[in-house]
Amino acid sequence: MRNPIGKKVVDIKPSGIRKFFDIVQETEGAISLGVGEPDFDTPWHIRDEGIYSLEKGRTFYTSNSGLKELRQEISNYIKRTQNVEYDPLKEIFVTVGGSEAIDLALRAMVDAGDEVLIPQPSYVSYEPCAILADAVPVTIELKEENQFRLTAEEVLEKVTDKTKILVLPFPNNPTGAVMTKEDLEAIAKVVIEKDLFVISDEIYGELTYSGEHVSIVSIPGMKERTILINGFSKAYAMTGWRLGYACGPEIIMKQMIKIHQFAIMCAPTTSQYAAVEALRNGDDDVKMMREQYNQRRRYLLNEFERIGLTCFEPFGAFYVFPSIKKFGMSSDEFCTRLLKEEKLAVVPGTAFGDCGEGYIRISYAYSLDNLKAAMERLERFISKL
Ligand SMILES: Cc1ncc(COP(=O)(O)O)c(C=O)c1O
């Protein structure tokens, strides 16, 4: 029998997060601070709306682009948070999580050999999706001395004649870094000058702890060049509902919807009804969860200082990214030993790109009690080194 598997797929490494957490499953008594998933239940009124839609028998496909009222709510939401207008009928469509939107944006926009700039450390899917789209991923190393923000100079350094897309992963997973308006203005200048497009993954846009999130689409000239990606997983604690969206120029949306139409048909109908409720009446829930995350974030930063772990202060998402360089171990070794010796699971920084070496990612999408127990273990571990 000849090889049934395509070479392109075989060559892609499996996610470093998943690989690590297979071990956690088998370790009894382990505490995990590894998963990037809210520990809150989806707020009840949102779940209730999903249930109601089922009771009403709304169990059919929606249009490929998603429910009109949901697209209208998404449009209203972006208008009220970023003061940018998207036509709900032509410039917005609903996807199966932000994940699908990332994949579709890349597939719709690149030709074989086009280069895609991917700042790292960052979320695990950009690089494989770029490769699957036959693009060439080009890494930009984010630096701790810049608080892991992306600078215009770093972009310029990597731009070639083949560069087509810049992925903008802020607020960032795994570092928690956020970009300021000034940072974005400088990036926008380069993007326009070099005739690039941006895929802006703003899935953590609602979870910022020092002022409101600024989207690059609010910078003049950038709405025309950007695919804005967001979703309901993180802000509304709706990971399992699998719902996200993409907003952008009609000419790009049309092609993305074409792939979505053939590969997916439409995002889950029940989830779409629930999401309308989330956007209409969910602001207070988001605020409550954000306050809790912020409390945990501050707790962890204080604890790190107390136990002697260096960490830059992150202002977004629900991750901290302390340095473990002073212990003279690789990230992988540190995490493997921490799990084995103290049954505490965190993620090696290298799961988010080679330049994550020397760091670990700790998620604070866990209760304060959990975090306290985890910090005891981390302190004990460090004191032995
Ligand atoms: C930065 C980032 N983007 C996108 C996603 C995908 O989220 P979803 O597909 O659940 O919307 C995640 C999930 O962890 C993420 O961290």
Side-chain angles (χ1 to χ4, degrees), residues 239-271:
T239 47
W241 298 76
R242 306 309 305 125
L243 209 66
Y245 55 88
C247 311
E250 183 183 3
I251 180 178
I252 308 173
M253 291 294 106
K254 261 190 176 167
Q255 302 308 319
M256 286 174 67
I257 291 170
K258 196 160 72 186
I259 309 173
H260 172 77
Q261 177 180 40
F262 291 128
I264 302 286
M265 193 81 88
C266 70
T269 301
T270 313
S271 307

Side-chain angles (χ1 to χ4, degrees), residues 97-99 102 123 126 173 201 203-204 233-234 242:
S99 304
I102 294 165
Y123 184 52
Y126 310 129
N173 170 12
D201 180 355
I203 197 95
Y204 295 101
S233 289
K234 313 293 177 173
R242 306 309 305 125

Side-chain angles (χ1 to χ4, degrees), residues 3 39 61 94 102 109 123-124 157 168 200 227 287 304 306 346 348 360 363 379:
N3 186 353
D39 58 316
Y61 296 130
V94 182
I102 294 165
M109 291 169 78
Y123 184 52
V124 294
E157 241 171 57
L168 206 56
S200 187
I227 306 297
K287 186 165 172 262
F304 291 163
R306 189 179 65 75
V346 300
I360 56 173
S363 161
E379 183 179 12

Side-chain angles (χ1 to χ4, degrees), residues 8 12 93 95-110 116 123-135 165 167 199-201 227-230 242 245-246 252-253 255-260 262-264:
K8 196 166 62 178
I12 291 173
F93 83 102
T95 57
V96 180
S99 304
E100 190 207 348
I102 294 165
D103 182 37
L104 293 191
L106 285 162
R107 283 205 270 166
M109 291 169 78
V110 298
V116 176
Y123 184 52
V124 294
S125 84
Y126 310 129
E127 197 171 309
C129 285
I131 293 169
L132 288 170
D134 286 328
I165 291 173
V167 174
I199 295 177
S200 187
D201 180 355
I227 306 297
L228 164 59
I229 291 171
N230 202 340
R242 306 309 305 125
Y245 55 88
I252 308 173
M253 291 294 106
Q255 302 308 319
M256 286 174 67
I257 291 170
K258 196 160 72 186
I259 309 173
H260 172 77
F262 291 128
I264 302 286

Side-chain angles (χ1 to χ4, degrees), residues 44-76:
W44 172 250
H45 64 104
I46 299 174
R47 280 185 275 160
D48 200 25
E49 203 56 35
I51 293 165
Y52 181 68
S53 79
L54 289 172
E55 282 174 353
K56 281 278 175 189
R58 293 172 182 153
T59 55
F60 301 93
Y61 296 130
T62 67
S63 81
N64 296 135
S65 310
L67 288 174
K68 222 191 272 180
E69 58 262 53
L70 177 55
R71 284 180 281 150
Q72 183 63 58
E73 289 303 331
I74 293 167
S75 173
N76 297 348

